[in-house]
Structure formats: C-alpha cells, structure tokens
Amino acid sequence: MDEELDPEIAALLSQAEKNSSESPDDILDNVEEFDVPTKRKSLFSKSVDEVVHGTGGKRSIHEVDLSKTSFDPIENPISDTPIEVYNDKSYYKTVLTGENQSAQRVHQVLSKYLTSKDPKDRAVYRQQIVTAYWELLRGMVGKMSSSSTPMPKKMLVRYGVLLPSLFKEEQKAYFSKIFIENNTGEPILYTDEWFKEIATGKMTNSATDEKKQSHKTANMSADEVAMVEQSRLMQLQSKNSGKLQSAENLLNIKENERQMLENDLKDKIEALTDHQPIMGLEPHRQGLSEFQRKLFPEITDLIHRLSKNDKELIKCLAEYQESKATFDNVQNKITDNGPVQTNDTEAVKIEFETVRQMAKMTVGRRGNQFPIFTREFYHCTERGTGTRENVIEVLRWIESIDPGVFHRIHKNIPNRIVPYVLLVPTYGDRGFCWEPFDRYNRVTSRGRIVIPMYPKDLKIAVLTAVADLRWQVAKEKASYYWMEEGLTGQYYQHAEQLKLKGDLKEFFIEDYILWMTKESEGVQRLEKDVRGIFWRNMPFPKERKEELRKRSLVYDELCKKDANREMSDGY
C-alpha cells in the first residue's frame, strides 16, 4: 500500500488480538499491517498455475468427449494431504498487498464490522463490505492467469476466504483438504479457474446483452496482436474439436452398422451355401431347403441396407475428413505461432461484471449478499458444500435418474454434452442456467450453469440449475413453436388449462425437483398431466420404471402406454 494504516484501525486490531478465541472480535487475530507491496515467493515449490490446473497432458475440459456416457464416481471427495495456505500468518496481508485503495477500504470496513457491538452499525458496515469487496475483486481477477499470483489471492477469489481466522478449526481443516487441482477432467470450475480460462482465451465470455468490443490491432504492439490471434485460434479450435468429435461419432455409428450388416450377410450366405449330401448318391448334394429359400429375400434386404449404409457412410466420411482438415489446419497455425502467454484483460473485465451478476442471482434480492467466508454464515456440512467433487456427485445422481439430461440431438443422434459449471462462493440457495449453449455453435458447444458453493441444500441448488438448463435447451430446440411443441409446449398448454399465473419456468423448475426427488422414488406429488409430460419427455431409466410400476398402478399405467407407443412406432 502507498499509505500507512489508520492508527485507530491498528489499535482495533491490537485490541482484537487480546480477546478470547470464542469472541467475534477474535477473528482478526494474527493480522499484520500491510504496507508497500513487496515481492513474495510462492507458498509452494510448484507454481500456482501448476497446482491449480495440473499437468500431465490430460484431455482439455474444453474438448467435448462424446464417448463418455456418465460421470466417473468420486472415490475420494477430499485429499489426504492438507494444504498449509490457511496457516500462513501472512495470509491476510498477502491477499490485500498490491491491491491499492480497494484493499485499504476492505480492511477498514471489515475491521469496523468485526469490532462493532451495535447491531445497527454492524448492518451498515456489512452492506459497505459488499461494495468494497467487489471493488477489490475487480482489480484482482485479472491476476488469476498468472503463475506468480500468490495462493491466498486465488483462495479469496475461489472460496471468498479473506481471513483464515473466520474459520472454525474444523472448517479450516476441511477446506485445507479440498482438492486444489481439477483431477476429474470435468468442466466444473471455481471462480479463479473461470477467470483464468477467459483470460487465456480458452473460453469465450459468457453471453450478455451488451455487444463485446472488437479488438482493434492498429494501435497494438506485436505481442498484443499475437495474443489476440492466439486467443482467436484457441477459441476456434475448441469449437472445431466438438465438430470433429461429432463427425467421428456419426462415422463410427455407420461403420458399426456396416459391420453388423456384413456379419449378418456372411452368416446367411454361409447358411445358403451349406448343402447336405444325398445318402447313397455321394458326392452329390441336396438342393435348397425351405429354410434356405426363405433366405433370398432376407439377403436381398441386407444388400439394400448395405447399399444405403454405404451412401450414408461415404457422406459421414467426407464430413469427418473436412472437419479433421479444418482441425489440423488450425492446430498447425497454433503450433507455428508457438506458445503465447495470453492475458485478455478486456475480456476479464467484461466477464467480471457478468460473474458479479451471476453471484447476485444465486442469492436473490432477499438473500444474504455477504461475499466473505465466515463461520457466522457458513452452515454447510462437508458433503453439502459446493466443491467440485461434491457437485459432480450430485450431477452423477441426477444423470442416473434423468439419463437424457445432458443430451442434445444432432442428426437423430443424442450427443452427451456436459455444460460448464461455475462454482461461485456465495450463500445462495439456487443455481441457474446462464446460457444453454454457445449462440454460434448449437451442435457441440457447452452450455453454462452457475451453482452457489454454500447453499442450505446442495442437491436442490444443483437441481434448480439443471432444471433451468433442461427448460432452456428444450425451448431453444422448439424455437418459435416453444409454446406448442416438445417439452415446453406440452407444459405450457398444461399451465394454460390450469390458468397458472406467474413465471412458467419457475413452475417447471419446482415440478422438476419433485420429479427427481419424489416421483423417482414412487411418491406421487405431481399433477397427473405433468407426470405424463415428464414421463414421456424426461423418462427414467428402464430399470427404475420397472421398479415404479410395481409400487403403484399409476406408474404401471404409464408403462403400458409406453408399450402401446412402441407398438405403433409413435414413441
């Protein structure tokens, strides 16, 4: 900092350190004055970038793996080896050092809030902290892509942990064991990771109503121009990767279909050419049997199907070759340009405002907007905290009940595309879908959902986000006919019949939660019509359907209707 701390603040801190550990005032213990920024070594032998993002050549989280059908089980939700960052006595000083006036403002207001005894004054200071904190983050998020950024700053952006003494001891022990790196390979990102991906150009900005300013290279240096071009190429490659996988997936399906047809044809021809000897007239053999004569139309049908398959396979192969050529072309350009350390500060600034809005939305107007982690407001269990591993486990549970939840149909092929998930450190209770897919790539791009890390019920928070995604994808698919066709159309017509007033999507989300938590267990909580709509459009796995039909005639009747639709090819 360019200026010394206010003597009164220093006195408050000194007084706070003398209080008992159970007193609210004690949470400022071990805090030192922060002064002129100094060069500070990393807390670990590895760079922060290596610790957070890991190495080893694994598949990028931006590459959609269409071969995966589900989330892998999380064997160890927490690490056996805790990190020591929260035991660093200079943690608070490290976080605020080098952040100019915003850090001083946060320090002053936080000190007053924590040492004030008057509830009215605390309410005022609490509101002031919200504004001051976001101003602090505004200048800090651009540093998340740098390997030299100290770990405490990353942990502030990731978990909202400004002061380790705001932890209870058991909370500190738990947070110390949360995995820092992404070992899952899933696109579930903490806020600091999110900003890093935006800064390096690996992710585009989240969609907003405001038009993003285009890069003007006329007044840029050579390094800046290279950075913009590299960022553009990386975004293009991410998009091409999805298209390539989709094309390869279609090609694999047609090749597998051909293999099955050819095997069937070989078996039938072998059966057709197998003639039994005539007893007593050897070596003469019998003519075609009745069974063999029946093979002629079957073989003819197989040949026609092979011919049709060949035409489709050639088309798929051409599309795959075109996609691969485009992918390789962009990859060669990226390789030729060499490694470029990108840090798109303009993109980060735009994304910061979006993420701030996202954080507010998880909380709601009447929720707790306090942005800093504190034992006063954190009441989650370890399993109920929105860590990456815990959220994946909830998503895995959701997909086991609603297997088509992340499917997007392309050329009649369901592609499983898991959305990006942003974990924001708020005390909100609701997740939501920010965008169902990239507006420029509806086929293979990931959508974006946001989930609060410290909700009352993590399962409900994730369910609200997934339900919102379900609704928006179905609505976009139906396009102009969303009130008439598909999931949204059927639900809209149901709402019209009941003359429901209010936000239709909110009614859907509430019903979806009941569908997943109650109806999936055989507990009937939905309207009959809604149950039918969900049963057809978001079906349970066959095994669960069979379990449910044993429990109630209601589900048995729905299973019978399924059978009737299958018989009439209308399912």
Side-chain angles (χ1 to χ4, degrees), residues 401-414:
I401 298 174
D402 183 5
V405 64
F406 299 125
H407 284 178
R408 208 177 301 159
I409 307 298
H410 176 58
K411 296 184 178 179
N412 294 322
I413 304 297

Side-chain angles (χ1 to χ4, degrees), residues 1-7 9-10 33-36 104 108:
M1 296 297 296
D2 295 328
E3 56 183 347
E4 296 296 326
L5 292 179
D6 189 315
I9 301 302
E33 286 187 27
F34 55 95
D35 43 23
V36 180
Q104 183 75 9
Q108 291 174 344

Side-chain angles (χ1 to χ4, degrees), residues 369-410:
Q369 298 282 350
F370 197 77
I372 298 171
F373 181 94
T374 169
R375 59 177 177 248
E376 182 181 358
F377 302 128
Y378 174 81
H379 304 296
C380 301
T381 62
E382 290 187 5
R383 288 284 187 172
T385 302
T387 64
R388 181 171 14 236
E389 290 71 24
N390 288 342
V391 168
I392 288 176
E393 277 297 284
V394 177
L395 290 173
R396 195 167 75 90
W397 166 78
I398 291 174
E399 199 170 27
S400 71
I401 298 174
D402 183 5
V405 64
F406 299 125
H407 284 178
R408 208 177 301 159
I409 307 298
H410 176 58

Side-chain angles (χ1 to χ4, degrees), residues 246-259 261 302-321 411-413:
S246 179
E248 186 175 16
N249 189 41
L250 287 169
L251 180 60
N252 288 336
I253 290 172
K254 292 304 172 184
E255 287 179 337
N256 291 335
E257 181 183 330
R258 180 177 65 179
Q259 187 65 50
L261 290 171
L302 280 173
I303 292 174
H304 285 306
R305 289 166 64 187
L306 264 174
S307 177
K308 181 181 178 182
N309 169 270
D310 183 63
K311 293 177 182 178
E312 294 172 346
L313 191 148
I314 290 173
K315 183 179 179 181
C316 289
L317 180 59
E319 291 178 355
Y320 173 71
Q321 289 174 325
K411 296 184 178 179
N412 294 322
I413 304 297

Side-chain angles (χ1 to χ4, degrees), residues 94 98 120 185 204 227 257 274 281 305 416 430 434 469:
T94 302
K120 293 183 179 180
T204 58
M227 182 186 74
E257 181 183 330
D274 182 21
L281 295 178
R305 289 166 64 187
R416 177 181 178 271
R430 292 177 62 86
W434 185 263
L469 175 69

Side-chain angles (χ1 to χ4, degrees), residues 434-446:
W434 185 263
E435 53 186 293
F437 38 68
D438 190 307
R439 68 183 71 176
Y440 301 113
N441 178 16
R442 297 187 171 210
V443 177
T444 58
S445 64
R446 299 188 189 276

Side-chain angles (χ1 to χ4, degrees), residues 48 82 98 117 193 215 217-218 287 302 318 373 392 411 428 432 521 558-559 562:
V48 175
K117 302 297 182 182
E193 297 172 329
H215 293 284
T217 59
L302 280 173
F373 181 94
I392 288 176
K411 296 184 178 179
F432 60 90
E521 299 296 328
L558 288 169
C559 287
D562 283 349

